[in-house]
Every structure is written in structure tokens, then in C-alpha cells.
Amino acid sequence: QFGTRRYDLRRVLIIMKTQTKALVKKNLKGLLKFVAFLGIFVLIFTQLSIVFDPKDGKDKTGLSRNVSYSYRAEDANVLDVVFIGNSNAYRAFNPIQLWEDKQITSCVIGKPMMTMSSAYSTLEDMFKTQKPKVVVFETNCLYLYLDTNDFSAQKASSSSPSVAVDSQQDKQESDDTSSDNGHGATQEQIGDFDFSAVKYDSKFIKNSVSFLNDALLSKVAYVAPLMKYHDRWEHLSINDFKDAKKRFYYITKGFLYSKTVKPFEYGDTYMGNKDDAPQKISASNMKYFDKIVSLCNKNGAKLALISVPSGTNWNYKRHNEVTVVAKQYGLHYVDYNVNLSEVKGFNWATDTKDHGDHLNTYGATKVMRAYENVLENEFKLGKSDITPTQVKNWNENANKFHSDIES
């Protein structure tokens, strides 16, 4: 009986092993089919995104990843200035204005939440076809932390950045209704943001939700333009399928135009104190910044640093650190958060599109005009040396900007 039982157990084990192999083989086939389907879907989705992306350059929002490579649509070595950065950059610099005011050719390389590694690799690609005299780097990228190790740089700061968002009236109301710290919120810090400085009222929550919603939609539309342009099928033509270079053409040359006005109420206080300790930049971001400096030097381009007005992103701690970095590398640096008086007529009530986070076209026009003086006086830039045909093309593009984008 023992031998029979052992034999039966062996048969059971053999059957189980056979069934397990069959099950694994069946599931493996299913998995391979799924992977193959997913690969084909991604390929088709990517190609359709290229096809459906408008080729006329009239997209007012520019929320397509192709807008980050608008330099690819330009003739070789035609650009004298390249602006690069995250959303702060593509909301602040208008190449059409720079052309009309100073006859200087330029474009914007901007990506939502651009990382330093992405900035470096995109500049590498740009230098393959362009030889700009000046590369203008918007500094907010230096404080984007995506690598978990990078958060050590924020924690290493003596304290979080000062974000003073209480008007005198709000402070009085807070003092009357709260006994914790005079701001109506308990002391709490997440990352580099001091939430004790924020009054949690309905306005703050509404603005925060609006900001997150805009950021999410921008990122989705940027990564997957088919999600945005799926209803363009009625307007497709043969050019949408065959003209690859045109998909990088944008009338705005990378600038994102917006007339939306959402005021920022804390323009006098958001920077904090001048003597705040510098907030260290992560080692990872500094590594890529050093590579960007070397890349520009190698290609004969002068690297310049700029901080555009941004009430929700900038403060003296970051300003003080970037000032040290600029001196260390011998780079020109202008911070319009500190030197806002140089931006003639700037008004936080009218010149921001989302409560201080980004500029609208009114604020961008004023910032661009201020920086035109820097390009002329500090970098000695004059009219771009391009052919009569190229001049004609830039003038026609400027006319399209006024008729198709501003209208």
C-alpha cells in the first residue's frame, strides 16, 4: 500500500507540474500578446499625435511637446538668442516682440516641469543646428527635484523659504481667530514650502486647485497631443502626413500667449528677507548645470541667468543661492523679482495669469522689453545677420502673430 501511495503521489506531482507548465505557457502567450498590442497601440498613438498636431503654427496654447523643439523649424544658424526653462520661461519670453523691437532672432525652449537633465539634452540637440550668441537660462529649473535623493538639498537648508502671503488685513484677522502662530495654520513644512505662512481660506484652496488642474492638463496635452487635437480629423490634409519639419513650426516661436488675468495679492511680501540663508541647489541639478555651462562654452554661446517674476516660486533664499552660483561661474544674472523696478509698469494685479505663478502676455511684454536692454547693453547684440529672404519670413511670421494669435 505504501508503494502504491508513493506511486499515486508521484503521478499527482507529475500532473501538477504538467498543468503548471501549460498554465505558464498559456499566460506567457497572453502576456506577449498584451505587450505586442500595447507596443502597436503606443506606436499608432505616437504617429497620430504627430499627424493631428497643427502644422500652421496657430496653436495659442502651444501645449504640445513639439513646441519645445521650435528651433528645429528654423533655418540652420539663424537664431542669435535661445531662451530655455520650464513654464516660467515660455510664459515670459516672446521672440516675436524681440524681433519687432530689435530685429534679433530667437526662440524659446520650454517644457512643463523641465528637469536639468532634459535642459541639457535639449540644448545638445539645439546646438546641432543652431549657433546662438546667447543662451538665457530661467533659474526656476534649478529647484525642481524629481530624484528622491535631491530632497536632501532642501532639508539641508537652515529653514524653508519664506513665503509671506498675508496682507496686513489678513494678518489681523488671523490674530483674532487663531492662537497657534498668527497665520491660522499650525507649523508644518513639506519639502521646501512653509505651510505655516499660508492662510487656509477658500481663496487659497480655490487657487491651489486651479493651479493643479492647469498643471495637470498642461502636462497631459504636452506628452500626448492627440488627447488635445483629436477633433482635428475634419481639417487634416496631405501636408499633415508628409511635412515632418512643419510640426515644429509655431508662429510664437515657443512663447505661450495668454490674456488671462488672475491677480497676485502678495507682491510686496512673497520674497521674504534679504538676509535669508541661501537655499542649496541639489548636487544632481548642479552637475547638469555645470554640464550646461561647459556645453555653451564649447559652442561659443554666452550663458546668462534670469529669474522672471514669480510670486509662488521665488524668494530671497533662492535668489541668494543663484547669485552665489552666478558669481562662481562668472555669469550675468538678473532677478526681476528683486529688481522689479527695471520692468517698467509691471503690476501684480494685471500681469499674471494664475495668481502669481506665471506671467500673462501683459507681464511678458514688460519683462521682454526690460531684457531687450540687457541683450543690447550687456551682450552687445545688434540686428541679426540673416538673409533678405529670412528677414521677409520673420516679418511675415510677426504679421501672422498679430492676425492669428493676438486676434
Side-chain angles (χ1 to χ4, degrees):
Q1 287 182 339
F2 178 76
T4 302
R5 289 177 180 174
R6 185 170 62 181
Y7 174 75
D8 290 342
L9 179 60
R10 186 181 301 164
R11 288 186 61 191
V12 170
L13 292 174
I14 292 173
I15 292 172
M16 289 178 63
K17 185 176 181 180
T18 303
Q19 290 179 341
T20 300
K21 286 183 177 179
L23 185 61
V24 169
K25 186 176 181 181
K26 181 179 178 181
N27 288 340
L28 184 60
K29 286 183 178 179
L31 179 61
L32 291 175
K33 287 181 180 180
F34 174 75
V35 171
F37 168 79
L38 186 62
I40 294 172
F41 174 79
V42 170
L43 180 63
I44 293 175
F45 189 90
T46 302
Q47 294 304 310
L48 285 178
S49 290
I50 295 174
V51 170
F52 275 72
D53 214 3
K55 310 297 188 299
D56 56 9
K58 295 182 181 179
D59 181 23
K60 292 188 177 184
T61 63
L63 293 179
S64 160
R65 68 185 305 113
N66 289 333
V67 75
S68 302
Y69 305 95
S70 59
Y71 57 87
R72 292 180 180 176
E74 302 295 336
D75 293 339
N77 303 325
V78 75
L79 298 174
D80 278 348
V81 180
V82 168
F83 300 95
I84 185 167
N86 57 19
S87 51
N88 279 14
Y90 63 63
R91 292 290 183 184
F93 305 120
N94 184 351
I96 299 302
Q97 179 186 343
L98 181 57
W99 169 255
E100 290 193 310
D101 289 350
K102 302 297 180 180
Q103 296 284 287
I104 296 175
T105 55
S106 66
C107 81
V108 181
I109 298 175
K111 298 180 182 181
M113 299 180 67
M114 177 182 272
T115 63
M116 290 298 293
S117 60
S118 177
Y120 173 72
S121 61
T122 309
L123 282 175
E124 268 193 318
D125 183 65
M126 181 275 296
F127 277 122
K128 293 177 182 178
T129 58
Q130 300 295 331
K131 294 187 180 297
K133 297 175 181 177
V134 181
V135 172
V136 183
F137 184 87
E138 211 291 322
T139 56
N140 196 38
C141 287
L142 290 168
Y143 286 97
L144 177 64
Y145 301 94
L146 293 184
D147 186 334
T148 54
N149 294 330
D150 286 351
F151 283 101
S152 60
Q154 293 172 296
K155 294 175 181 177
S157 300
S158 59
S159 60
S160 64
S162 300
V163 184
V165 296
D166 285 326
S167 65
Q168 193 63 35
Q169 180 179 354
D170 288 338
K171 188 176 187 306
Q172 182 62 46
E173 291 175 355
S174 178
D175 290 339
D176 292 341
T177 58
S178 174
S179 59
D180 47 12
N181 57 21
H183 293 283
T186 59
Q187 179 71 27
E188 180 182 8
Q189 296 179 6
I190 298 179
D192 68 343
F193 194 88
D194 186 356
F195 281 85
S196 68
V198 177
K199 183 180 179 184
Y200 295 98
D201 55 14
S202 60
K203 183 185 295 184
F204 171 79
I205 295 173
K206 181 179 179 181
N207 291 348
S208 299
V209 171
S210 176
F211 165 74
L212 291 173
N213 183 58
D214 289 346
L216 178 61
L217 292 177
S218 297
K219 193 66 176 178
V220 169
Y222 178 83
V223 174
L226 183 59
M227 300 288 288
K228 178 182 178 183
Y229 302 118
H230 61 275
D231 57 353
R232 266 198 78 237
W233 64 270
E234 292 181 332
H235 306 288
L236 294 180
S237 68
I238 190 65
N239 289 329
D240 289 295
F241 293 86
K242 69 178 186 179
D243 199 339
K245 187 177 179 180
K246 267 199 168 183
R247 74 175 185 265
F248 299 113
Y249 168 65
Y250 286 86
I251 291 174
T252 63
K253 309 291 184 181
F255 170 63
L256 266 64
Y257 180 92
S258 175
K259 284 186 175 180
T260 301
V261 176
K262 292 183 180 179
F264 180 57
E265 299 179 17
Y266 315 109
D268 295 332
T269 57
Y270 73 94
M271 284 295 288
N273 300 315
K274 290 182 180 180
D275 57 353
D276 282 341
Q279 182 189 352
K280 294 299 181 182
I281 300 167
S282 75
S284 174
N285 283 355
M286 280 306 301
K287 179 186 74 173
Y288 279 103
F289 180 76
D290 187 74
K291 294 177 72 172
I292 287 173
V293 173
S294 298
L295 182 66
C296 290
N297 290 337
K298 177 183 176 181
N299 287 275
K302 294 180 180 179
L303 180 63
L305 305 183
I306 183 173
S307 301
V308 302
S310 182
T312 61
N313 290 298
W314 212 244
N315 51 60
Y316 269 114
K317 293 190 176 185
R318 295 184 174 187
H319 165 82
N320 292 340
E321 175 67 7
V322 174
T323 298
V324 171
V325 171
K327 289 181 179 179
Q328 176 184 345
Y329 285 91
L331 304 176
H332 183 272
Y333 174 44
V334 58
D335 187 345
Y336 287 133
N337 295 277
V338 174
N339 302 309
L340 194 56
S341 61
E342 295 179 12
V343 185
K344 304 300 182 184
F346 188 89
N347 190 333
W348 282 111
T350 59
D351 295 339
T352 173
K353 69 175 290 291
D354 43 18
H355 306 292
D357 193 28
H358 301 101
L359 302 178
N360 55 28
T361 187
Y362 310 113
T365 298
K366 297 166 185 176
V367 168
M368 188 75 261
R369 188 153 293 137
Y371 203 71
E372 288 172 356
N373 296 326
V374 174
L375 293 174
E376 274 191 324
N377 299 327
E378 296 294 333
F379 297 101
K380 310 303 179 185
L381 292 188
K383 293 182 179 180
S384 294
D385 184 15
I386 56 178
T387 68
T389 299
Q390 290 168 336
V391 171
K392 179 182 178 183
N393 290 338
W394 275 79
N395 287 334
E396 289 177 350
N397 200 93
N399 292 333
K400 288 180 181 179
F401 177 83
H402 297 303
S403 61
D404 297 344
I405 304 299
E406 288 188 326
S407 60

